[in-house]
Amino acid sequence: MTRNPVSLAPPKPSWFTQKMLLAVFCMINMLNYVDRGAIASNGVNGSHRTCTSGTCTAGSGIQGEFNLNNFEDGFLSSAFMVGLLVASPIFASLAKRLNPFRLIGVGLSVWTLAVIGCGFSWNFWSITVFRMLVGVGEASFISLAAPFIDDNAPISQKTAWLGMFYMCIPTGYAIGYVYGGLVGSHFSWRYAFFGEAILMFPFVVLGFAMKPLQLKGFAHVESKKALTNIETALPESQDVEVEVTTAKSPTSMKEEVDNKISNKSSKSKNSNMFKDLKALLIEKVYVVNVLGYIAYTFVIGAYSYWGPKAGRSIYNMSEADMIFGGITVVCGILGTLAGGFILDYMKSTISNAFKLLSVATFIGAIFCFGAFCNKSLYAFLALFSIGELFVFAVQGPVNFICLHCVKPSLRPLSMAISTVSIHIFGDVPSSPLVGVLQDRVNNWRETSLILTAILFPAAMIWFIGIFLHSVDRFDEESEHQVTRIERSNTTPLLQERKEETTEISAQP
């Protein structure tokens, strides 16, 4: 019997470390929301043509150039959601067969071309179609980015890392308000979209140029490509026994491993998305979490779109874009980061996450409601800022629940369905509905108070979640994690692992 030591160490981490992954994903997420903030800004969105006492004022921006009413204008802000809703479950399903990192690259390519199309649009329907394609491009990133971050975050900082990622939502919106206002007022609203495409292009290249990363819970066809050298991955396994003898060549050993991986991969290809969807819908913790998130998003979506116009109307803000942008970026960063760090400090459990969600939302609703009741601009700014600090604290905890109440293989679908739900029932209808409400009551203060009151039911729904039986399933094995060899390829490739050297026995 001879013993031949074989190095089983995976490749050393490259310059693209865990923190670099977080930074890149944060920048991409921010650009997505810069786009949303820009189209809501007064500089890009503009205003329609008005006539008073025989004197007419020319319209500006998209609304003025295409002569949109409030309903059409509100629908335009939500049009990209249509593509997002349709494409998110598709990308989540494709992640079981195709490399998810490459799928993000494809999505970012579509996004970049679509925003260029927005800049060249010629009427309401053309820009609406391009906005829908923007949503298609964003869908892959929304579904897959959070699981990548959750895989690579330190155990004691998982919610904090998610908080950093979701901090980019209010930050991006705020920067978008300012960016859209400056570009729209000094050049043309069309140039704002061209600038976004230029900023996103390096990340498109990165998505295709980098070595593809894998997600925990999946074994893809690409996995076997990583086994070109037998030294790459032949760790010990309790699930699959691979006997290596001196009589077998490295090629035959590789073929044996490839066949086993291919058989398992073919099973994952045949998995039924509807079966996975059913597994999500019968998970009470997941359903309650998403219901609260829907009510919350309904309010935040309308705030983000109509906030500058409401502020300008109620308090005569001359620089509504700048003021709302400043409040949102400061409170969004501080609130979102605080929510993540506080949950980690409390201990990241699903029950604690629900406690934080319900308390923060309830307190935030009180301050925001009081802000719109006050007639003083300075009192409004103070109360609304405090309210937003609490309201934005939910971003990390709510997505922590989505990722940890389901088994690893369901996380992309969990994020996709959560995204679909909060948009189709939340901010997709909220912008046009608030526009219709404002057209009817013609009073932005009353409209804002009615909208803000919806935060109270959101807090109550999350309060119910505290009493549900919950289990953190992050480390639960799934049908896609059947072998140790597959696990070596599906754990985060950025994770620093010590070199392993195992002696492989060979029979004479």
Side-chain angles (χ1 to χ4, degrees):
M1 180 182 296
T2 60
R3 293 181 179 273
N4 300 317
V6 180
S7 175
L8 302 179
K12 287 283 188 181
S14 65
W15 61 271
F16 198 73
T17 63
Q18 293 101 321
K19 291 182 179 179
M20 182 65 72
L21 172 74
L22 177 63
V24 168
F25 278 8
C26 282
M27 290 300 298
I28 295 172
N29 201 29
M30 190 177 297
L31 282 175
N32 284 330
Y33 284 89
V34 164
D35 174 69
R36 301 190 196 185
I39 199 171
S41 69
N42 288 320
V44 173
N45 179 262
S47 58
H48 52 68
R49 182 172 178 267
T50 58
C51 293
T52 305
S53 302
T55 303
C56 295
T57 303
S60 62
I62 296 173
Q63 192 175 26
E65 185 167 337
F66 297 150
N67 194 26
L68 309 181
N69 58 37
N70 281 339
F71 177 78
E72 291 173 328
D73 193 25
F75 180 79
L76 183 62
S77 74
S78 304
F80 81 97
M81 300 290 186
V82 177
L84 185 70
L85 304 181
V86 173
S88 291
I90 295 175
F91 277 114
S93 179
L94 288 175
K96 291 187 175 182
R97 301 189 293 274
L98 302 175
N99 182 269
F101 199 76
R102 289 289 186 257
L103 288 176
I104 290 177
V106 171
L108 295 182
S109 300
V110 174
W111 189 95
T112 303
L113 293 174
V115 294
I116 293 174
C118 290
F120 285 114
S121 57
W122 55 93
N123 59 22
F124 169 71
W125 289 110
S126 63
I127 194 171
T128 298
V129 171
F130 284 122
R131 294 306 297 169
M132 291 179 182
L133 291 175
V134 168
V136 172
E138 187 178 332
S140 65
F141 182 75
I142 292 297
S143 302
L144 301 169
F148 269 119
I149 292 173
D150 196 44
D151 277 355
N152 291 280
I155 295 176
S156 61
Q157 299 177 19
K158 283 187 177 293
T159 318
W161 278 42
L162 288 173
M164 294 178 194
F165 177 71
Y166 287 103
M167 170 195 74
C168 298
I169 294 177
T171 306
Y173 259 124
I175 294 175
Y177 286 151
V178 177
Y179 167 75
L182 291 175
V183 174
S185 60
H186 289 85
F187 302 99
S188 165
W189 61 267
R190 298 178 184 273
Y191 287 96
F193 294 113
F194 298 147
E196 293 169 11
I198 292 172
L199 293 173
M200 184 64 82
F201 183 72
F203 300 109
V204 175
V205 174
L206 185 66
F208 289 104
M210 266 194 57
K211 178 181 179 180
L213 309 180
Q214 298 289 1
L215 273 178
K216 176 184 176 70
F218 294 96
H220 304 276
V221 174
E222 292 93 332
S223 297
K224 61 183 180 181
K225 295 179 182 178
L227 299 178
T228 302
N229 297 317
I230 194 65
E231 293 84 5
T232 302
L234 276 179
E236 60 183 3
S237 172
Q238 297 178 351
D239 302 301
V240 176
E241 296 180 1
V242 181
E243 296 182 359
V244 181
T245 69
T246 54
K248 292 185 178 181
S249 67
T251 301
S252 63
M253 289 189 292
K254 178 180 178 297
E255 289 176 354
E256 182 177 347
V257 173
D258 286 349
N259 289 335
K260 293 180 181 293
I261 293 178
S262 296
N263 291 336
K264 298 300 180 182
S265 297
S266 63
K267 291 182 180 180
S268 67
K269 289 182 180 180
N270 297 326
S271 62
N272 192 321
M273 190 179 76
F274 292 103
K275 179 182 177 182
D276 292 342
L277 181 59
K278 181 181 178 181
L280 287 178
L281 296 180
I282 63 175
E283 177 58 59
K284 294 179 182 179
V285 171
Y286 179 79
V287 172
V288 169
N289 186 51
V290 172
L291 287 176
Y293 204 10
I294 288 171
Y296 167 89
T297 307
F298 188 97
V299 178
I300 298 302
Y303 271 177
S304 64
Y305 191 74
W306 293 113
K309 286 191 176 181
R312 185 173 58 183
S313 174
I314 299 171
Y315 298 102
N316 297 316
M317 296 181 187
S318 58
E319 298 291 339
D321 283 346
M322 300 291 288
I323 292 174
F324 268 85
I327 292 175
T328 302
V329 70
V330 173
C331 297
I333 291 174
L334 295 179
T336 307
L337 288 177
F341 282 106
I342 289 172
L343 183 57
D344 284 333
Y345 178 80
M346 294 170 63
K347 189 177 180 181
S348 297
T349 66
I350 293 175
S351 178
N352 284 343
F354 274 124
K355 292 175 185 176
L356 184 57
L357 289 173
S358 58
V359 172
T361 305
F362 186 77
I363 296 176
I366 292 175
F367 276 98
C368 289
F369 195 87
F372 284 110
C373 288
N374 206 298
K375 294 183 179 180
S376 168
L377 171 62
Y378 297 106
F380 166 80
L381 293 177
L383 293 173
F384 191 69
S385 297
I386 296 173
E388 284 211 319
L389 279 173
F390 282 96
V391 168
F392 280 116
V394 312
Q395 292 291 347
V398 73
N399 287 285
F400 173 86
I401 296 174
C402 283
L403 290 168
H404 285 253
C405 72
V406 298
K407 58 187 179 182
S409 64
L410 288 180
R411 288 183 306 160
L413 186 61
S414 169
M415 297 305 298
I417 297 303
S418 172
T419 302
V420 167
S421 300
I422 65 173
H423 290 319
I424 198 170
F425 300 112
D427 52 6
V428 165
S430 69
S431 294
L433 286 177
V434 169
V436 170
L437 177 63
Q438 173 58 21
D439 286 340
R440 180 176 293 273
V441 303
N442 197 28
N443 186 321
W444 273 112
R445 188 187 302 276
E446 183 178 343
T447 299
S448 300
L449 288 171
I450 294 172
L451 175 66
T452 303
I454 299 175
L455 286 173
F456 291 105
M460 293 305 298
I461 292 171
W462 278 326
F463 181 74
I464 295 172
I466 299 173
F467 305 97
L468 297 177
H469 175 69
S470 58
V471 177
D472 192 322
R473 305 177 67 181
F474 177 76
D475 291 321
E476 181 177 314
E477 297 291 333
S478 70
E479 66 271 23
H480 301 287
Q481 289 178 290
V482 293
T483 71
R484 182 72 172 87
I485 292 173
E486 288 172 346
R487 283 196 293 272
S488 72
N489 286 295
T490 57
T491 51
L493 296 184
L494 303 182
Q495 181 179 346
E496 294 188 20
R497 293 174 288 186
K498 295 180 180 180
E499 291 189 2
E500 301 177 48
T501 303
T502 304
E503 294 183 347
I504 299 178
S505 299
Q507 296 180 359

